[in-house]
Amino acid sequence: MKVMKADKKFYLVREDVLPEAMKKTIEVKDMLERGKAESIAIATQMVDLSRSAYYKYKDTVFPFSTITKEKLISLFFHLEDRSGTLSKLLGVVASSGGNVLTIHQTIPLQGRANVTLSLNTSNMTVEIDHLLADLKKLEFVEKVEVLGTGA
């Protein structure tokens, strides 16, 4: 008799390598959550996914934003050393509803500094993907990475 482990491993995987059925399952879940479809049957039909495939994946595949909701996230930045950069960066985080818990900044060397932010994302008004995109658009941000998430 095979005994199943209670603790499951989780992986963060880029969307472009997911099978089409998993992508469509996420799309169906999103449609149902946003009220764009009245039932699973209608939503699966709209995205051309079998209901059996939906039920197979519905409890196993989640968008990154779902994982980070009501959680903590640590972000790493590589910034140009200019006056006001940290203030502007924190302004973008604050406007998204993110609550900064910790800030660690290295001493700038050769015009560059590293900053690590730990954020509480439970009250964010935008998806984490949107926040990351907004942060990457800042002209002084050279790199943004998600270091980790947790409860």
Side-chain angles (χ1 to χ4, degrees):
M1 173 163 58
K2 187 175 179 181
V3 177
M4 295 294 288
K5 280 185 157 183
D7 56 331
K8 306 273 188 214
K9 288 186 178 182
F10 290 86
Y11 300 92
L12 184 61
V13 180
R14 255 189 7 247
E15 179 184 36
D16 62 325
V17 298
L18 287 176
E20 200 62 32
M22 287 184 173
K23 292 182 205 176
K24 288 182 177 184
T25 298
I26 292 170
E27 191 176 348
V28 167
K29 291 168 68 171
D30 183 60
M31 291 171 70
L32 292 168
E33 185 177 311
R34 295 176 186 265
K36 301 289 183 186
E38 295 175 16
S39 68
I40 293 168
I42 292 170
T44 54
Q45 186 177 21
M46 289 171 72
V47 300
D48 192 28
L49 177 70
S50 71
R51 286 189 321 168
S52 63
Y54 170 77
Y55 285 111
K56 178 179 180 180
Y57 294 121
K58 77 175 183 75
D59 295 325
T60 61
V61 62
F62 306 94
F64 183 66
S65 59
T66 301
I67 295 168
T68 59
K69 203 172 249 180
E70 296 185 25
K71 303 272 184 182
L72 305 179
I73 188 167
S74 294
L75 302 176
F76 171 82
F77 299 88
H78 194 67
L79 307 175
E80 290 180 25
D81 181 32
R82 296 191 214 164
S83 179
T85 57
L86 185 57
S87 176
K88 289 177 187 171
L89 183 87
L90 294 174
V92 171
V93 171
S95 69
S96 74
N99 182 25
V100 177
L101 302 173
T102 64
I103 302 171
H104 179 264
Q105 181 177 351
T106 61
I107 295 172
L109 297 173
Q110 299 177 348
R112 306 286 182 267
N114 295 326
V115 174
T116 303
L117 297 180
S118 296
L119 308 174
N120 179 334
T121 62
S122 61
N123 293 319
M124 284 185 44
T125 56
V126 299
E127 298 292 336
I128 192 70
D129 299 345
H130 185 76
L131 172 62
L132 291 172
D134 286 348
L135 292 167
K136 288 176 184 177
K137 288 178 191 172
L138 297 171
E139 71 273 0
F140 53 83
V141 174
E142 294 182 357
K143 182 187 213 178
V144 181
E145 290 181 10
V146 176
L147 292 181
T149 62

